[in-house]
Amino acid sequence: MTAQGGITEGVIDGRESAQGADGAQVISNHEQMADIVQVDVLKTQPDGDNLHITLGLKNTSATQLRLINLTQTGALLAIDADGYANPLLPGLQNPDEITVPANAGVRQVFIFAGPMDSGVSVRLWGQDYPVH
């Protein structure tokens, strides 16, 4: 493990163990959200050289959830029909964290770099979600 990797892991561990001031449970990987967050790819829309994808995130728990580190390399990818991945567009267009209220859902648009053909799915923390 590199020093940079250890620092990053320490920051993530610290964020996960500390609830937010609002009492939100912090989630940073698929295992933590497996039974309490439903993910749906609601819409895909090309925009020039990029692709906008609207995700639906539904919290089935009675606790507010905060999904963090979404802009980390490989955390959130668009996958085309041929299995090629496109990363999130770098910059401030995409949120690094999303708060999902208890027993409710949110819709969030993400912008992925590069054009893509049909057959898109989204990979969030290693789990693929097809377009509905």
Side-chain angles (χ1 to χ4, degrees):
M1 169 185 344
T2 65
Q4 181 72 23
I7 292 169
T8 301
E9 286 178 20
V11 170
I12 293 170
D13 289 346
R15 289 187 72 188
E16 287 174 357
S17 63
Q19 281 191 336
D22 57 3
Q25 176 182 340
V26 177
I27 294 176
S28 66
N29 63 57
H30 182 262
E31 291 76 27
Q32 293 171 331
M33 69 172 226
D35 295 328
I36 55 175
V37 179
Q38 176 186 331
V39 179
D40 293 303
V41 182
L42 301 175
K43 181 179 176 183
T44 63
Q45 181 177 345
D47 181 21
D49 289 335
N50 300 313
L51 179 66
H52 292 227
I53 296 179
T54 304
L55 289 185
L57 302 161
K58 288 186 181 176
N59 178 356
T60 61
S61 77
T63 302
Q64 182 166 264
L65 304 175
R66 183 161 299 114
L67 284 65
I68 65 168
N69 300 329
L70 298 172
T71 57
Q72 274 189 354
T73 303
L76 190 57
L77 300 167
I79 310 293
D80 71 13
D82 296 321
Y84 291 99
N86 285 38
L88 288 170
L89 188 67
L92 300 176
Q93 296 90 338
N94 292 303
D96 189 47
E97 64 182 47
I98 297 173
T99 300
V100 186
N103 298 308
V106 296
R107 291 178 189 89
Q108 178 64 54
V109 176
F110 290 95
I111 305 170
F112 293 86
M116 295 187 81
D117 294 330
S118 63
V120 174
S121 64
V122 172
R123 182 171 294 160
L124 174 58
W125 293 316
Q127 177 68 39
D128 289 356
Y129 300 94
V131 175
H132 290 286

